Amino acid sequence: MENAGGGTFRWAIFGTGSVARKFVLDLRSLKGRAVVSHVASRDPANATRFVRDLAPEAKASTYEDAAHAPDVDAIYIATPPALHKPHALMGIAAGKPVLVEKPFAQTGAEAREIAEAARAAHVFCMEAMWTRFQPLAGEIRSRIARGDLGEIRGFNAQFLAANTPDATQSLFNAGQGGGAMIHRGIYPLSMAQFWLGPIARTVALQRMGETRVDEDTVMVLEHGSGAISTVRSSLRSAGPDGAVIWGTKARLEIDGPIWRPNSARLFPVTASGKPATAPRKGEAFRESAAGLRLSRLLQRLRGGGSAISAPFAGNAYHYEAEAVMQAVAEGQGKDPRMALDDTIALMDLMDDVRASATNKTGATP
């Protein structure tokens, strides 16, 4: 993908953490169509080290210098969440398209401020919800749209990982936008919106930790369609990270992790009839311990379902980069797969959860 003036697309990277490293590494999947021209960090040594290790063609810069550099076609913002708003506004003011890592901002008001600035300046701006741009996510959305699952009744997904509480880390730091919901719950929450549509109502429970961030959050979502989703996130407990979509014609089991799903299986649904009023043949054996053991064994042997394969290339970060590059080349202000209105709606929803969730905490308010 070329920049507006022709040639290779040039990225400035704000932040030098693990996500920024993954993003830059996967630009290589674009086979020379994108390069890194600037790397900016609050610590110049970190920027210099990043350039040396991953982007020798780039310059180690300050945020301001990178934002105003003429050899920058877009900015990827992967700084801590508390810095997303000032860095996004900085890039927009300089007329540079911005791709802002999730969480896009700390509140709905901040997200709205960024969006309004981008629209007023006619500058591309998007949340970096990379999962939406991966091949399997698009394939699943297409199958839902064409009715392969029938009427969608619900969705369940979770992002759970066990971490040791440490207030110096952004995950557990309230001032830096920490918490399970905003760092981890955003993935299943965003995919619930992407696959099942707008969310009309939310009920949530949170468990707060000693560092005053939510360490566990469970949300029940009612979509505008009437479908009901459940989303769970945790900073303290590990668990399976797959997902399920339930429809009247089929259910879709998605192999985790939810942020980068790699395969899925579609299982047809057979509707049950009226309960039998007379004994069925073989019923006594089927309901015996031996019969149930045999049934479980047969289920494992059969597996079942039809496989859905939509493998990703590289580490899958380059898909969102390519979406930005395509939109900028075509003069578009957004990509419909991750519209700013979707981002604002989810940020507002999380604000509501914080304000109204029933909290169980051992910390002093």
Side-chain angles (χ1 to χ4, degrees), residues 86-270:
H87 285 162
L89 293 177
M90 180 189 297
I92 291 166
K96 299 294 169 61
V98 292
L99 176 63
V100 187
E101 260 306 329
K102 89 294 300 165
F104 183 77
Q106 294 190 100
T107 66
E110 286 190 356
R112 199 169 280 103
E113 185 177 350
I114 296 169
E116 288 172 357
R119 288 164 176 159
H122 303 288
V123 170
F124 180 93
C125 176
M126 187 176 77
E127 180 181 9
M129 180 48 69
W130 62 314
T131 311
R132 291 192 180 205
F133 297 90
Q134 294 166 20
L136 185 61
E139 175 64 21
I140 290 171
R141 200 179 195 198
S142 295
R143 286 175 179 258
I144 291 172
R146 71 181 184 227
D148 288 7
L149 279 73
E151 178 191 357
I152 303 301
R153 304 291 296 186
F155 170 75
N156 171 259
Q158 50 278 325
F159 183 173
L160 314 171
N163 297 87
T164 301
D166 181 355
T168 66
Q169 302 298 314
S170 61
L171 281 177
F172 290 94
N173 190 312
Q176 293 184 18
M181 176 176 66
I182 200 165
H183 277 273
R184 292 183 175 158
I186 186 62
Y187 284 98
L189 182 61
S190 185
M191 298 317 293
Q193 182 197 58
F194 186 63
W195 286 325
L196 277 69
I199 299 163
R201 188 167 66 98
T202 308
V203 178
L205 292 171
Q206 292 188 308
R207 179 171 179 171
M208 309 302 288
E210 293 182 358
T211 65
R212 300 180 185 275
V213 302
D214 63 296
E215 294 183 344
D216 296 276
T217 293
V218 178
M219 290 180 275
V220 180
L221 318 171
E222 181 183 14
H223 295 266
S225 64
I228 297 174
S229 296
T230 53
V231 167
R232 185 180 184 97
S233 55
S234 180
L235 299 180
R236 299 295 308 280
S237 60
D241 293 317
V244 181
I245 302 174
W246 291 284
T248 53
K249 290 172 59 178
R251 81 175 184 276
L252 186 67
E253 296 185 359
I254 304 163
D255 296 326
I258 185 61
W259 61 92
R260 188 167 51 193
N262 49 52
S263 60
R265 296 192 75 83
L266 191 68
F267 294 83
V269 169
T270 302

